[in-house]
Amino acid sequence: MKILKLHLTNIKSYDNTTIEFEPGTNSIHGENGAGKTTILEAIGWALFDFLPYSQDEFLREGAKYGTVSVTFVPPDGREYQVIRQIKKSPPWYVLDLETGYRVAEGSADVKEWLKKVMGLQDEMDLGEIFENAVGVPQGALYAPFLMTSSKRKDTFNAMLHLEEYKTAFDNLRETDRYIQDQLLALGNRQETLKVFRDRIPELEEKIHGLANENNRIDDELRACENDLASVREIKRQLEQKQKQIEALEGEHRRHEERINSLRDHLAKARQDLERSKQARDILLRTREGHLAYERAVQERRELEPQLETYRQLCQNLQLRQSDRNHLNAEIKEKQAELNNALSAQEILPRLQSKVDELRKIQKEHQQLTIEVSQLRALETRHADITQKLSSLDAELKSCKQTIQVIEQKRPLAEKLPALRKEYDSVQSQLSAAEGAKEKLNDLRKKYSSIEKEIVTLSAEITKLESEISSIELLQKESANLLQLRNRKNLLQERQKEMEIKISKLEQRLELDVPYCPLNRDDCLHIQQGERSCDLLSQQIQEAKSELETIIQDLQSTEQSIQHAEAAQAKLFEAEKAKAAYDPKLYNLQIRQQEKATLEKDLRELINQVEQIPSLQSSFEHIKSEVEAAEQADKEFHKLPVIEEKISNLTRQIEELREEQKQITEQIKDLSSKKQLVDKLEKRLQDKDTFEEKLTKAKLLVEHLPETRASLESLKRDLQNLEKVIEQLNSQIDDMRHLEQSDKELQAIIHKYEPEHKQYISNEQLAMQLEEKDAQVSKLQSEIDGTVKQLEEINAQLEKATKTWNRQDLEDAELKIEKLNADISSLRTQKANNLKQISNLEQELSDYQEKSREYDRAQQDIQKFEKIKQILQHIRNTIKSAQEPIAKSLIYGISLEARNIFCEIMGDHSQRLEWTDDYEIRLERGSERLTFQQMSGGEQMSAALAVRLALLKRLSEINIAFLDEPTQNMDTTRRMNLADQVVSLKGFEQLFVISHDDTFEQKMDRAIIVSKRHGISQVTYS
């Protein structure tokens, strides 16, 4: 990866600057505050989404928007440009410079694309990579190595992603618990399903019995249906004869109705004929009046065009008179306008002279105003310099006081290594105790939860035992359910048969026909015409008594069925309870064992937690001492920076005082000119008013000829219009007689209009006279023909009624009704059986599905047992893998860092080691130093070596930024570092940011940053 170019627009002290880089090594050199670090921050913000402060602070003061553009070449070899903007859209996007297309846009897409081209894993954070490896900010290069052991582990474990192993191990614990719960649930489910599986043979036997009964019902149905077909054929023949008689009777009624209708039509036709004769007489009487009306209407229609012309002439006259009024008004307006123009012509020379004088004064005022405008800027700058000098003096005084305070804290900083060692010891003890406290809370919650589960399970087991004890009694109560249902069906069939029998007997009784108990036609007990009321009444009473007995028996059977069904439902629930009893009991025993184990763990943790107060007291005391020592040590390391800052502040104060002196002299010179400007402004106050008057006067004088010509034209138009009005009045007088003629014709029309209307209303009726006469003759002829047809129908009807008897049809209907009742009863019984079969088959299907579910549960148990074994193996592997992987990573980084350190120091006899707790140690002969015991230069070199080694290991990003890497180094070590950076392998680009010129001559490109008038500028050498 190579960065080719950086372009900054309105970023901090940069206004519009392009910085070009070379492959290899690049030095960025300049004074403190020149803008070197801004280059690093801009690249970090655009490529790694890292900015140590807000975007508003990154934007140049007073600018509306800012832009950072980085052109770079990732490993794919194409040139891309990453553009990030402040207060401008789009805020962040990537351009492919070869195609000109945007390959990514928006925060999420750009980050994903950058990780991909840099070879970073998805879970890695761009900002962390830049902050901890690629571009460590100034002053933070070796800060993590001064932390305590636990804080170092938090920092570098996250960077190396070693915490993910522990997280994965802990996360899989929930999976293991889930599998255990699934196995327990599947075992419970199997016990429940076994009850359904054992009932399958019983259901199959019930379905087989009902199917055999349906076969018997089918045989009886076929016999009844054959008898029904024979009786229906007899009934059909009888109904056919009945329909023939009914058809003749219908024809008879229709012919009678036809005759009556024709006679009504004949009477109406005769009335219409009479009205037509009356209408003919009215036409003869009103004919002359009608003709006079038609003539008057025609003459008025011919006169209408001349009347229309007369009306248009009157309307035109009104319009011309209106135009004459408008012309008179316009002539008055033009005359007033002409008078105003003549007045303006007189005062025009005086106005022009006054305006010319004021314009000369305005030019003089503008020139003086330009000169005086600089006065306000100078006064503002003078005030700013005064304020800034006051601020810089206060800051200088504060820096000197800070140095005095830091020197007083030197003894405390020297005690830091010993205090840190004691701090780590107490902290580890307290962390263990606090961990025990957290674990104690979790165990207490778990203990409370298990106690609640035990109480719940005990109550459920007690309830299940109560339900199981009633199984034997419920089995006895539900054993005869099938017999009761069959008895109910037989009683229902018997009830329907008795109801049909009673209905038939009651019909016989109402008709009072001879009745044979054996249903024979040649019964010897009943003679012709003999009545059998007593016998029928006795038979009806016996049948009703038997029906009442059947209904009582049916109600008793239904109650027994309900009781048996309730017992069967309770038996099913009891069997389910029996299946669930053993898993519940096993679960209770498991929970009781867990409770005993937890009680033991709780006692141990309580002993550890009781030690927390004393440990906390010791920890707080040592922590305050360590913090004070760390603060003193941190401040002690700031001494060179503060001293350099004092030098810069002194130089800035001198420059500002010299500038303030020059500005004071310029302000005195411009103050006298400002008084003259104020005087001229008073004279120019009326300039706009005079210019406006001059403009209006010129406009009126300019249009004076046009106004005169327009006035003359309007007067001529008025004369022409008067002539036109005179001609129209003459034409209207010639046509006034037409109105009188029209009134006379209207009087004639009004006079003869009643006779005209009477003639029109009767004209059509009189013309129908012949037609009505023919219609009367035709209706009389139709009536005679229909009477003859009615006599023939009467003869046919009398012949048909002699050969048909209604009693034969009623007997056939009674036999059909009985057969239908028998068939309906059989079909109902069959439907009930089919319904029972369907219900039983559905129940059987459900039980078979439960049986298959039992088999699937067994397969799932085997599968989960296997998964549990695999999961346990994975967890053990992850747990055991973390430590060797961490050691391997640290060892590889340590070797790489050792080589880099030796090159920087120019001494390969030294041995740098990065330990398992991320502490940097140095062996120099027999001497073994910790990081705190090293000199400032050694600390910087060691931290830099480890950072560069980390960067090589973590990613494919083969660039790095070194911000002030020579801090606390002597001249020799700075030169060694420069030589090592030049010869450092494995990086396509290295950027060294420094305020000294050590690297300038040895780099592939030296970039010099300077600041002039508050704006950063870039040059190359």
Side-chain angles (χ1 to χ4, degrees), residues 6-11 13-19 60 65 67 1015-1017:
L6 170 68
H7 184 80
L8 303 175
T9 303
N10 297 330
I11 298 298
S13 57
Y14 291 88
D15 57 352
N16 190 9
T17 304
T18 300
I19 307 164
R60 188 181 175 205
Y65 70 92
T67 303
I1015 298 175
S1016 296
Q1017 298 179 348

Side-chain angles (χ1 to χ4, degrees), residues 172-188 586-587 590-591 594 860-861 864-865 867-869 871-872:
L172 287 174
R173 182 182 289 111
E174 292 299 322
T175 307
D176 185 53
R177 289 175 183 167
Y178 169 77
I179 292 172
Q180 186 64 36
D181 292 342
Q182 289 297 311
L183 286 170
L184 183 61
L186 287 168
N188 294 340
Y586 173 73
N587 200 3
I590 294 294
R591 293 293 179 267
E594 290 179 359
D860 290 342
I861 289 172
F864 276 111
E865 289 286 356
I867 292 171
K868 184 179 179 183
Q869 295 174 2
L871 181 64
Q872 191 62 41

Side-chain angles (χ1 to χ4, degrees), residues 415-450:
K415 292 170 60 179
L416 181 60
L419 288 171
R420 280 179 173 161
K421 186 174 182 181
E422 186 179 357
Y423 174 85
D424 290 343
S425 174
V426 175
Q427 186 185 35
S428 62
Q429 295 176 28
L430 182 60
S431 297
E434 287 177 344
K437 185 178 179 180
E438 293 178 2
K439 192 174 181 182
L440 177 62
N441 292 331
D442 294 340
L443 285 178
R444 279 174 174 165
K445 290 178 182 178
K446 189 173 181 181
Y447 183 81
S448 176
S449 174
I450 288 175

